[in-house]
Amino acid sequence: MTPNRSSLIHLALYSTITLGLVACGGDNNNSGGDTANLVDPAPASSSTVTLRIMETTDLHANVMNFNYYQNAQDDTVGLVKTASLIDAARAEVDNSVLVDNGDLLQGSPLGDYVAKVKGLETNEVHPIYKAMNLLNYDVANVGNHEFNYGLPFLKEAIDDTNFPYISANVFFDDADNDTTNDIPYFTPYLLKDKQVLDTEGNAHTITIGYIGFLPPQILQWDKNNLETRVIAKDIVDMANHYVPEMKAAGADIIIAIAHSGLTTDTRAGGDENASFYLSQVNGINAIMFGHAHRNFPGDSGYDGIDAIDNVKGTLNGIPAVMPGYWGKYLGYIDLTLSVDGDDVWSVADSQSVLKPISQTNADRSITSLVANHQGIETAVATDHAEVSEWVSEPFAKISAPINSFFALVQDDPSIQVVTDAQTWYVESIVAGTEYADLPILSVGAPFRAGRGGADDFTDLSAGDVSYGNVADLYIYPNTLKVLKLTGAEVKEWLEMSAGQFNTIVPGSSGNELINTDFPSYNYDVIDGITYQIDVSQDAKYDKSGNLINAENNRIKNVQYQGAAIDDNQEFLVVSNNYRAGGGGNFPGVTSDKIVIDAPNENRQTVADYLIEMTEANPDTGFDPSADNNWSFTSINSTTVTFKSSSKDSAQTFAAGSAAITYNSTDEDGFGVYTLNLE
C-alpha cells in the first residue's frame, strides 16, 4: 500500500490497530470547494457555513449507462451519468464533500467478469475504482455485497483506491469471548479537516468525522467467506461506542455513512436496517444511508411516519438522504452550520435533495438529464468492451422462451430452470452419501419481477443462451446450500412466502393481488412438491417473518409424489447462502440446518445445467417450460389485478393464458393485468 492509503483495509496486516484509532488516510487534500492557505479568523457568533454532503450508494458495478443483459444503452443507470451530476453539484457551492456508501463490486455482469473471469492482478485497478478515482471522494463505506467474492478479492480491489475506507462494526474474529480486545477489521472512523468559506467569505477549518456501518447479517449472507475470519457487531452499539470518542478527538460534526435501510419498528439489536435508530444517537449530525434501494426523501412509503420528515429529509430531526441504487440519483444534504464564540459548530438547518440522471416521459421514453462523464468513459472503455463481448458469447440453447413476467401469479419458467438446475446438481453430489435416500426439494424466487422498474423482467427468446442471459436468470453470485427440513417446516416456509399476496375477498373484482411491501425476492417457490395458495385467507407471517396468527393458513393441498405431505418426513431443501443463512427471516430456516455447504455458485449451477441439457438435445435445445406445481385455490366470481411488464412479449405470453388479461399501461410503464381466480 502506498502511504496516502493508510486508512484503507489492512486485512491481516491490521493487527496493529487498536480500538479507538483515528486513521486519517486516503487523499488528505479536501476536495470540492476547499480554500487553501487562508488563516482562520476568530469565529464570530453570526458565522454561517453551508456544507453540501454528496452521496452515491448501491452502484452495484454499474459504471456505464449500459444494460449488459439486453446489450443496449440504458440512460437510467450508471456512475458515468451520476459523475456529471457530482461535478455540477460541486460547482454550485463553496463547500462540499463526497462519500460512497458501498455495494460497489457486485451486481452487474461487469462485477462478475472482473471477479470470476478476468481477476485482478496486484496493482491492477478495478473498473469501478478507475471511475471513482476521478471524482475526488473524501471517504467510502463498505457494503454487504463487498464480501460476495471473498476477502482476498476485496483487499485487492480497494487497495487501489485514492480515497480511504471505513467501517465501524466489523472486527477480526479472535475466537475468544472477550469483546474488549477485539481489533477492527477496517478503520472504524475518520477525522478530516475541511477548510470552508462562510457566507461572508471568511475561511474556517471544520473537523468532519466520518463513521461507517454495514448490516451485521453479513455473517449469515457470506458465511463461507467470513466465518472464523471476522465478526460483525450491532450498528447502534458501535455508534454509541465510537461517536463520543470522535467528539473527544475533535470532530466538529459527525456524518454517519450507514449501509443500512430505514424502519421504525422497535429496535431488536443486530438490526439490518438501523438508520432510524442512528438518528437517536447523540452526536450524529447527518446520516447518509442506503442498502434498501429506495429514495429518501420522497418515497411515499415513508409518508405519515412519526419523526420522519419526508420532504425536508430528516429522521428525528437529523438530516438524512438515501439516493436509490445503480447511480440513478445523486443524493446530497445541504447543511447550514453555525458557530458560536467558543468555536462550537452546530446544525442550524438542512435540506436533503435527490438529483435524477434521467426522466421517464409520458410515452415511456427515457430522456437523459445529464451527459456522460468523458473521463469515466475513457477510463473504462476497454473493460466495458471486454464485458460486452463476454456476455454475448452463446453456450447453450433453449427451445421455448424464459421470462419472469408472471412469476408472482403462476408457475414460471425463469424460476423453473433454476430449481431444476439445483435439483440436478444436488442429485449428483448426494449420490452414495448418507443423504442419498432423502427426497430433494428445490427453492427459487423471481429476482427480476419489476423491483427495479417496468423493464426489470427476464425476457429470453427461444434460441441461443449466453452468459449474460444466465446472469439475467440469477442475478446474485450466491452459493448453493442444502438444508434438512421436515414436511412441517417446508409448509411454514411456504406460509412465509405466501405473504407476497394481499387478502382477497371472495366475489370481489379489481383488488390488487400483490403486496408491494413484501419483497419479490422473498417469494420462494418450492419445486418437488405440489401445493395451492388460498389468498382469501389472511397471511400467517408478516414481511419480516413475524408470526401474525398461528391459525392463519394459506397453504393448501401440499403433496409429495401425489400424496399428502408427511409433516415428519425429512427432505433435502436446496437454496442459497442468503436464505439458508437466515436472510428474510423465514421461520425455521436457519444455518444450523445446513447439511451440505456446496462450493458452487447457484448461477454457475444453472449454466452447467443448461450446457448438459443442450448436449442432450442438440437439435432443439432444452425445454425450460414450468411444470405448474403450484396454483391459487379457486375462488368463485373473483378477479384481481396485478402489474407486470407492458412489453409486447409479455402481452403475447398473457394471451396464451385463459386466466390472465392485459388491461392497460400505467404512468410508470407497468402493464396492468386482470387474473381470474375462478
Side-chain angles (χ1 to χ4, degrees):
M1 293 188 186
T2 55
N4 71 328
R5 296 173 185 155
S6 62
S7 68
L8 302 183
I9 183 174
H10 290 316
L11 296 168
L13 301 178
Y14 205 97
S15 58
T16 59
I17 292 182
T18 58
L19 286 171
L21 172 67
V22 180
C24 296
D27 183 357
N28 286 312
N29 295 316
N30 295 326
S31 61
D34 287 344
T35 305
N37 301 318
L38 294 176
V39 178
D40 286 2
S45 60
S46 60
S47 294
T48 299
V49 168
T50 298
L51 175 66
R52 177 165 290 178
I53 311 168
M54 299 181 288
E55 178 193 18
T56 55
T57 190
D58 294 272
L59 291 170
H60 285 285
N62 284 281
V63 181
M64 290 300 297
N65 56 325
F66 198 81
N67 186 325
Y68 292 104
Y69 304 128
Q70 298 177 359
N71 193 33
Q73 181 173 316
D74 182 357
D75 286 330
T76 69
V77 303
L79 180 61
V80 71
K81 295 285 188 184
T82 329
S84 295
L85 290 180
I86 291 169
D87 286 347
R90 185 177 272 150
E92 292 172 352
V93 296
D94 290 322
N95 314 302
S96 66
V97 295
L98 174 63
V99 306
D100 182 78
N101 203 359
D103 276 11
L104 289 168
L105 301 179
Q106 176 277 337
S108 82
L110 183 145
D112 279 355
Y113 175 75
V114 174
K116 293 295 185 180
V117 178
K118 183 180 180 181
L120 281 177
E121 299 295 331
T122 302
N123 296 324
E124 181 180 6
V125 183
H126 194 292
I128 190 72
Y129 294 129
K130 289 180 183 178
M132 295 177 70
N133 282 347
L134 299 175
L135 299 178
N136 292 320
Y137 278 86
D138 287 85
V139 67
N141 181 41
V142 184
N144 55 285
H145 280 290
E146 261 63 79
F147 301 97
N148 286 169
Y149 302 121
L151 291 168
F153 180 83
L154 173 57
K155 174 186 182 298
E156 185 57 50
I158 70 176
D159 184 53
D160 295 299
T161 63
N162 62 10
F163 49 86
Y165 262 90
I166 54 173
S167 184
N169 64 317
V170 182
F171 296 79
F172 282 95
D173 185 354
D174 58 11
D176 68 24
N177 294 319
D178 183 359
T179 61
T180 64
N181 65 0
D182 290 340
I183 298 173
Y185 199 81
F186 303 91
T187 301
Y189 61 83
L190 172 68
L191 300 187
K192 197 169 185 179
D193 287 343
K194 175 74 176 177
Q195 282 200 314
V196 295
L197 293 177
D198 65 22
T199 54
E200 302 300 319
N202 299 313
H204 304 266
T205 298
I206 298 177
T207 301
I208 302 175
Y210 303 92
I211 184 167
F213 305 98
L214 54 74
Q217 285 75 15
I218 59 169
L219 299 181
Q220 302 169 7
W221 301 336
D222 274 300
K223 182 179 179 182
N224 274 5
N225 292 327
L226 302 180
E227 189 173 35
T228 73
R229 297 173 177 87
V230 300
I231 60 173
K233 299 186 180 182
D234 178 81
I235 291 173
V236 178
D237 287 349
M238 291 301 95
N240 284 323
H241 174 81
Y242 283 121
V243 168
E245 190 174 289
M246 296 169 72
K247 297 295 286 186
D252 291 309
I253 65 168
I254 292 178
I255 301 169
I257 312 172
H259 194 84
S260 183
L262 173 59
T263 179
T264 57
D265 293 345
T266 302
R267 180 183 168 221
D271 300 271
E272 174 184 353
N273 298 306
S275 295
F276 184 80
Y277 315 134
L278 281 175
S279 69
Q280 299 167 325
V281 174
N282 186 41
I284 290 177
N285 301 107
I287 300 171
M288 322 302 287
F289 68 112
H291 179 60
H293 288 208
R294 296 177 69 175
N295 295 340
F296 182 83
D299 189 315
S300 61
Y302 301 126
D303 287 342
I305 301 176
D306 289 344
I308 294 180
D309 188 328
N310 200 20
V311 176
K312 189 179 182 66
T314 60
L315 310 176
N316 289 300
I318 303 300
V321 71
M322 174 169 55
Y325 59 100
W326 298 354
K328 292 175 180 287
Y329 294 86
L330 171 67
Y332 61 78
I333 301 172
D334 281 336
L335 278 186
T336 302
L337 303 174
S338 62
V339 62
D340 64 21
D342 294 324
D343 203 18
V344 175
W345 292 88
S346 60
V347 176
D349 200 2
S350 70
Q351 179 60 57
S352 300
V353 176
L354 297 180
K355 288 283 189 179
I357 64 172
S358 67
Q359 71 178 23
T360 303
N361 304 314
D363 62 357
R364 307 312 307 159
S365 63
I366 300 296
T367 298
S368 175
L369 299 178
V370 64
N372 283 11
H373 188 288
Q374 292 303 305
I376 289 178
E377 270 199 353
T378 301
V380 302
T382 300
D383 305 285
H384 175 56
E386 288 177 358
V387 177
S388 297
E389 181 179 358
W390 171 66
V391 298
S392 64
E393 297 172 356
F395 74 98
K397 182 187 290 186
I398 54 176
S399 62
I402 300 178
N403 61 64
S404 62
F405 298 140
F406 305 112
L408 298 179
V409 300
Q410 64 182 26
D411 202 17
D412 171 79
S414 71
I415 297 176
Q416 189 73 55
V417 67
V418 171
T419 57
D420 284 351
Q422 293 173 169
T423 300
W424 164 81
Y425 175 76
V426 173
E427 284 174 344
S428 67
I429 64 174
V430 300
T433 72
E434 61 183 301
Y435 304 117
D437 294 331
L438 290 179
I440 298 171
L441 308 182
S442 187
V443 180
F447 295 133
R448 301 194 67 206
R451 182 173 179 243
D455 294 324
D456 186 27
F457 293 90
T458 298
D459 184 15
L460 308 183
S461 301
D464 288 339
V465 177
S466 69
Y467 279 96
N469 299 142
V470 175
D472 194 3
L473 288 169
Y474 207 109
I475 66 175
Y476 300 111
N478 293 331
T479 51
L480 190 143
K481 308 295 178 189
V482 183
L483 305 97
K484 185 167 69 172
L485 301 175
T486 66
E489 290 171 324
V490 169
K491 287 195 285 188
E492 292 307 294
W493 189 323
L494 291 172
E495 287 287 359
M496 171 65 183
S497 182
Q500 180 68 78
F501 308 108
N502 293 320
T503 303
I504 304 301
V505 178
S508 63
S509 62
N511 291 321
E512 285 280 347
L513 175 64
I514 305 302
N515 175 6
T516 55
D517 285 337
F518 192 98
S520 59
Y521 57 80
N522 279 346
Y523 178 60
D524 285 348
V525 171
I526 301 184
D527 270 303
I529 53 177
T530 60
Y531 58 95
Q532 294 179 306
I533 302 173
D534 185 354
V535 293
S536 71
Q537 303 297 309
D538 290 334
K540 189 169 189 176
Y541 297 95
D542 68 15
K543 66 178 181 180
S544 300
N546 300 309
L547 181 65
I548 299 172
N549 188 332
E551 301 302 315
N552 294 350
N553 289 288
R554 287 183 159 181
I555 302 302
K556 309 292 183 183
N557 304 321
V558 185
Q559 295 188 349
Y560 173 68
Q561 294 187 339
I565 193 170
D566 182 345
D567 284 352
N568 296 314
Q569 182 173 0
E570 292 184 327
F571 294 88
L572 295 179
V573 183
V574 194
S575 186
N576 58 49
N577 59 296
Y578 172 77
R579 182 71 75 238
N585 295 319
F586 276 57
V589 183
T590 51
S591 59
D592 60 302
K593 294 172 183 174
I594 296 173
V595 293
I596 299 173
D597 203 351
N600 281 36
E601 286 187 358
N602 300 68
R603 181 186 298 168
Q604 189 60 49
T605 298
V606 172
D608 294 343
Y609 178 69
L610 288 173
I611 291 171
E612 177 148 323
M613 294 300 102
T614 300
E615 290 175 349
N617 303 275
D619 296 328
T620 61
F622 166 61
D623 183 358
S625 300
D627 62 8
N628 299 310
N629 72 301
W630 75 269
S631 62
F632 294 111
T633 57
S634 178
I635 307 176
N636 291 337
S637 304
T638 305
T639 62
V640 292
T641 61
F642 67 94
K643 295 179 181 180
S644 182
S645 172
S646 60
K647 293 174 64 174
D648 290 344
S649 51
Q651 295 182 40
T652 299
F653 203 77
S657 169
I660 299 175
T661 304
Y662 168 76
N663 297 325
S664 61
T665 298
D666 73 7
E667 61 182 10
D668 294 320
F670 286 96
V672 180
Y673 295 81
T674 294
L675 175 67
N676 189 342
L677 292 177
E678 186 168 1

